Amino acid sequence: MFDPAMFERKADVRGVYPNQINEELAWLAGKYLTQSLKKELSGAAPKVMVGRDGRTSSPAIYSSLIQGIASEGGEPIACGLSTTDMIQWGVGEGICGAVAGVMITASHNPPQYNGIKSVMKSPETGGIDILRPLDHMAPRYEEDSDNGATPAATCSPFPSNGKMNLQSRFVDAALTRSNRLKDAKGKVVLDPGNGVGGLFRPLLSRALKAIGAEVELLAVAEQIDGTFPTRPSNPGLPGAVKLLQETVVAEGAEFGAAFDGDADRVFLVDEWGQFVPGSVLLAALAKAMVEKNGGNGSVVYSAVSSWLVPETVRAAGGKAILCRVGQDAAKVALTKTDAVFGGESSAHYNFPDTYCLDSGLFALVTFWDMLLETGLKCSQLLGQLKPWPASGEVNLRVECSDWKAMSAEVISTIKKEYGTDEKNSYVLDIDGVSVFHPRKPEFATVDDVFTIDKSGDPTGTIYREVQNYTPDWWFNIRASNNEPLLRVNFESRDAADVTGRTYSLISRIREICGDRARVDVQDWGNLK
């Protein structure tokens, strides 16, 4: 048994093992994905790269998915332990003839979760497109029959030959983003958090030594262990990277880098051990990319990122493009706006010049290059930016019979309440509900502040261009895609606003839910 609702998800298949996602679902996912790819490729048999993270359930799911691909006439390319960005990069490069890729991972979710992320290289744009289960698996499931006969064995989950070396090739490709790393000195500390990013340090050390860099790479929580014994697989959670912070200070390192479970995201710690929020690194990288593009170009950022990001992009001469949260939306916005850079506050960073790849390692190398170019310390470089006082992401756990319906009701109610003239605010519903205060005479409606690209996204539901407007305060409330959580982000120019207004929002959410749901604060963000 498995949960067929997993095929109806908008970004990836993700759930608790073995109840929601298991070997049976994985086999069918491989079969349905291959059917969909054949349709996209006019009947040609697709070659599909398949990788997995270090979760305890990943080997079994990986093996089943590979056999599902083969059962439908696809050719699986077995990559074994990989990071998500390795698989995406490999598809972009067409390694072994790959036209699509699948990664077995639940990313930053707890150990009991697992998932299936699927991508394809777009024949039109050359970028990497997310293959949404809702579009590519759910229709095939609906068309399937009720035949329970077991098919013949298909193929081995191991490669025919042993020298594809995807991991080392990917690391070498990341290092080519800087021609200054040969001058790197000192120490840098990596924190894979027992995730698959544990592959990086030996590969990076070897490659850096080969170019003459006199840098010592250290690591904490390096051993790949799918139970994540050292810290949560999400390094963005409050207190998650304490060991990394302590190690950076103790070793006198230049900076530290913490990856999530599948290593496509990265958070930094400066030389003083201070945690760098994802929005701050996003703003710094965006500024550098716009300046390198002659002081122009679009930068895509997610709807819950700090206002520091559009503020910084505009100051550098670029255009700020707000998009719905999620890499499926980000990749569309990056392509449609011909962006020079993009990312999310959750520490996804996108590189349009490399298939719109979102890569923690590419971001790390790019930032390291910025340090070497400027000669500044990590804290000095990032200290040039002035983050807004913020709540951070506060996660509210909603326990009731139908948390999705309850979350939708909360968002709808907040939208109506703040849409009145009395509230004097703009309300944007591109992702959950975002409220920006106050209204300005030069912008009559929310569509004047966040303008629609009529050719690229005529509905304005994927991305908007941000005009020359800055709120006094703003907030966003949105539902998690994976867990029964409402996520609240609040920012203000005035630090005195943050705590009180965020608590008021939490109280209002509880009032809306009443006795129909229990609402508890799971993560307090920056508030506690």
Side-chain angles (χ1 to χ4, degrees), residues 97-327:
V99 297
V102 181
M103 179 69 183
I104 307 303
T105 181
S107 185
H108 59 274
N109 284 90
Q112 66 269 29
Y113 283 78
N114 216 320
I116 301 169
K117 293 182 177 182
S118 306
V119 298
M120 177 182 179
K121 186 171 184 178
S122 169
E124 290 80 26
T125 68
I128 297 297
D129 289 343
I130 302 291
L131 296 176
R132 306 194 319 163
L134 182 63
D135 300 329
H136 294 273
M137 295 181 189
R140 309 288 90 78
Y141 175 73
E142 288 300 317
E143 296 165 359
D144 215 348
S145 72
D146 59 0
N147 182 5
T150 304
T154 50
C155 74
S156 166
F158 304 106
S160 298
N161 300 290
K163 292 187 177 180
M164 182 171 64
N165 295 328
L166 173 67
Q167 294 83 353
S168 58
R169 292 165 73 176
F170 173 75
V171 168
D172 289 344
L175 292 184
T176 63
R177 300 197 69 84
S178 172
N179 58 12
R180 299 182 180 88
L181 284 180
K182 63 182 183 300
D183 301 321
K185 292 180 171 53
K187 299 178 181 179
V188 171
V189 185
L190 304 182
D191 175 9
N194 301 115
V196 74
L199 294 168
F200 285 151
R201 188 185 62 84
L203 295 171
L204 282 169
S205 294
R206 191 179 307 119
L208 287 167
K209 183 178 180 180
I211 62 174
E214 298 177 7
V215 62
E216 183 180 0
L217 284 184
L218 307 174
V220 299
E222 184 177 30
Q223 183 175 353
I224 298 173
D225 184 337
T227 66
F228 302 107
T230 308
R231 64 158 170 85
S233 56
N234 183 359
L237 294 178
V241 296
K242 183 179 179 181
L243 177 59
L244 174 64
Q245 292 170 299
E246 293 172 346
T247 305
V248 166
V249 173
E251 294 289 344
E254 301 298 313
F255 63 92
F259 296 92
D260 71 336
D262 60 337
D264 59 351
R265 298 193 296 144
V266 67
F267 284 96
L268 296 186
V269 167
D270 72 16
E271 76 275 14
W272 298 104
Q274 298 199 73
F275 180 77
V276 179
S279 286
V280 174
L281 182 55
L282 173 56
L285 293 171
K287 177 176 182 289
M289 294 300 185
V290 171
E291 289 175 347
K292 286 182 179 179
N293 196 52
N296 57 69
S298 297
V299 171
V300 173
Y301 74 98
S302 61
V304 297
S305 300
S306 170
W307 200 264
L308 169 68
V309 179
E311 200 172 47
T312 302
V313 169
R314 292 189 311 217
K319 292 181 181 179
I321 308 295
L322 177 147
C323 82
R324 198 177 67 230
V325 173
Q327 281 297 299

Side-chain angles (χ1 to χ4, degrees), residues 272-448:
W272 298 104
Q274 298 199 73
F275 180 77
V276 179
S279 286
V280 174
L281 182 55
L282 173 56
L285 293 171
K287 177 176 182 289
M289 294 300 185
V290 171
E291 289 175 347
K292 286 182 179 179
N293 196 52
N296 57 69
S298 297
V299 171
V300 173
Y301 74 98
S302 61
V304 297
S305 300
S306 170
W307 200 264
L308 169 68
V309 179
E311 200 172 47
T312 302
V313 169
R314 292 189 311 217
K319 292 181 181 179
I321 308 295
L322 177 147
C323 82
R324 198 177 67 230
V325 173
Q327 281 297 299
D328 57 334
K331 285 177 167 58
V332 170
L334 287 159
T335 301
K336 295 289 187 180
T337 63
D338 196 23
V340 297
F341 189 66
E344 304 185 65
S345 57
S346 58
H348 283 283
Y349 307 104
N350 292 88
F351 297 85
D353 61 351
T354 310
Y355 323 114
C356 292
L357 183 71
D358 57 302
S359 172
L361 188 60
F362 274 45
L364 169 61
V365 171
T366 303
F367 178 75
W368 201 348
D369 183 78
M370 290 166 61
L371 291 181
L372 294 168
E373 181 181 20
T374 61
L376 298 174
K377 293 289 188 180
C378 182
S379 63
Q380 294 171 328
L381 179 60
L382 297 176
Q384 297 173 353
L385 303 173
K386 304 299 179 187
W388 283 44
S391 66
E393 188 160 83
V394 178
N395 288 305
L396 307 179
R397 180 165 287 275
V398 181
E399 295 183 0
C400 61
S401 59
D402 189 345
W403 73 271
K404 289 186 177 181
M406 184 60 67
S407 297
E409 182 180 335
V410 168
I411 289 167
S412 176
T413 302
I414 296 292
K415 179 181 174 181
K416 290 177 183 176
E417 291 179 355
Y418 279 87
T420 63
D421 289 339
E422 180 185 0
K423 291 292 187 180
N424 191 31
S425 300
Y426 300 110
V427 178
L428 183 66
D429 60 0
I430 197 169
D431 201 334
V433 57
S434 295
V435 173
F436 305 86
H437 179 85
R439 296 176 186 170
K440 299 287 180 69
E442 59 268 39
F443 302 107
T445 71
V446 68
D447 290 342
D448 297 314

